[in-house]
């Protein structure tokens, strides 16, 4: 359904629902604008006044149906506070990556207190619905700008979704629906990678961060102004090159 911003996010369940829908919007926008699935695999929805394409199950497109099932598995892990989520495009060899979209989720157990790890610390501030709405709309618009400016992917790419867990809270035998235990032996990036922080969305209970890794050559036609820092007050920084991320 459409992303509706509540007047108040007073419960963790309200926050979770919003984060799930934002994840669906972001993944749908990326796959649509990168030409992963045909037009028939998408419906039209609105986020506030922004028209977006949302992935749906399409009997004529098994790949979109599979991705929808993966997303439902992600929701299960997200609800349990277990997961961090990278989505890859790659050639037939899944160990070689052509592009990566990383969705990182943080959970706070102390209500509306979040550490943004920024120069202007706001970890004693309350996140308002206006903050969440503004950050959400900005994130979606920045995804659109970036995806529309990147040069095309190769014609023969595949799409893979992997889940990385917060080990200290995730049961060792847990696997969400649609997923199985995998090996993480490292990945080889095709070409010279460029790392981009697209943006982040805070709620009183969650933080969603979106990062993109793409081949540097695909960035040649991108307007460099979208890579500059915006305001220093988090979380509304502009898309920027991520050269030094202490969390990684």
């Amino acid at each position: 359904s459409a992303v509706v911003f509540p007047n108040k996010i007073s419960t963790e369940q309200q926050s979770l629902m919003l984060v799930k829908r934002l994840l669906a919007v972001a993944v749908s926008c990326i796959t649509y604008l990168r030409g992963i699935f045909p037009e028939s695999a998408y419906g039209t929805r609105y986020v506030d006044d922004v028209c977006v394409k949302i992935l749906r199950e399409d009997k004529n497109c098994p790949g979109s149906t599979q991705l929808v099932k993966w997303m439902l598995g992600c929701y299960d892990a997200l609800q349990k506070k277990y997961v961090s989520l990278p989505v890859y495009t790659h050639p037939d060899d899944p160990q070689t990556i052509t592009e990566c979209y990383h969705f990182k989720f943080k959970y706070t157990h102390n209500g509306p207190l979040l550490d943004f790890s920024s120069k202007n610390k706001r970890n004693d501030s309350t996140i308002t619905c206006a903050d969440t709405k503004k950050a959400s709309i900005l994130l979606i618009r920045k995804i659109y700008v970036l995806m529309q400016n990147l040069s095309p992917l190769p014609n023969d790419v595949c799409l893979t979704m992997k889940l990385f867990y917060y080990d200290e809270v995730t049961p060792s035998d847990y696997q969400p629906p649609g997923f199985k235990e995998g090996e993480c032996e490292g990945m080889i990036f095709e070409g010279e990678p460029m790392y981009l922080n697209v943006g982040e969305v805070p709620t009183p209970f969650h933080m969603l961060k979106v990062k993109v890794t793409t081949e540097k050559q695909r960035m040649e036609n991108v307007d460099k102004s979208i890579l500059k820092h915006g305001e220093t007050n988090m979380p509304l920084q502009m898309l920027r090159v991520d050269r030094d991320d202490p969390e990684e």
Side-chain angles (χ1 to χ4, degrees), residues 4-60:
V4 179
F5 294 97
N7 293 324
K8 186 178 182 181
I9 301 176
S10 56
T11 68
E12 191 170 352
Q13 189 60 35
Q14 289 174 326
S15 174
L16 177 65
M17 182 61 67
L18 182 60
V19 171
K20 285 180 179 179
R21 289 178 175 174
L22 283 175
L23 175 61
V25 169
V27 171
S28 297
C29 288
I30 289 167
T31 57
Y32 180 77
L33 292 168
R34 297 309 272 145
I36 304 293
F37 301 117
E39 184 80 26
S40 61
Y42 299 87
T44 301
R45 295 289 186 272
Y46 286 87
V47 180
D48 201 43
D49 59 346
V50 180
C51 180
V52 296
K53 295 290 187 177
I54 299 294
L55 194 68
R56 61 187 178 188
E57 293 184 86
D58 179 6
K59 63 181 180 180
N60 297 318

Side-chain angles (χ1 to χ4, degrees), residues 195-197 226-229 237-242:
Y195 306 93
L196 301 169
N197 267 342
I226 70 171
L227 298 176
K228 294 179 181 178
H229 286 275
Q237 86 276 26
M238 294 301 291
L239 180 71
R240 64 183 179 85
V241 178
D242 185 6

Side-chain angles (χ1 to χ4, degrees), residues 98 189-195 213-219:
T98 56
F189 198 89
E190 205 170 51
E192 184 181 354
M194 176 172 277
Y195 306 93
T213 308
T214 189
E215 190 176 354
K216 190 174 183 179
Q217 189 175 356
R218 292 197 187 97
M219 293 291 298

Side-chain angles (χ1 to χ4, degrees), residues 8 22 55 83 85 87-88 102 117 119 121 123 125 131 135-136 143 166 180 184 213 215-216 235 240 242 246:
K8 186 178 182 181
L22 283 175
L55 194 68
V83 71
L85 168 67
V87 181
Y88 302 103
H102 190 175
S117 298
K119 292 180 181 178
K121 296 275 186 178
N123 53 348
S125 301
D131 293 331
S136 300
I143 289 174
Y166 294 104
K180 63 181 180 180
C184 187
T213 308
E215 190 176 354
K216 190 174 183 179
R240 64 183 179 85
D242 185 6

Side-chain angles (χ1 to χ4, degrees), residues 140-186:
I140 293 167
R141 286 176 174 164
K142 286 195 290 187
I143 289 174
Y144 264 81
V145 169
L146 179 60
M147 296 299 106
Q148 289 174 329
N149 279 275
L150 289 177
S151 57
L153 288 168
N155 293 327
D156 59 347
V157 294
C158 305
L159 184 72
T160 296
M161 182 177 288
K162 293 191 176 186
L163 304 182
F164 289 95
Y165 303 113
Y166 294 104
D167 292 335
E168 64 274 13
V169 295
T170 307
S172 58
D173 59 348
Y174 172 75
Q175 292 297 336
F179 288 85
K180 63 181 180 180
E181 186 172 359
E183 297 179 356
C184 187
E185 298 178 346

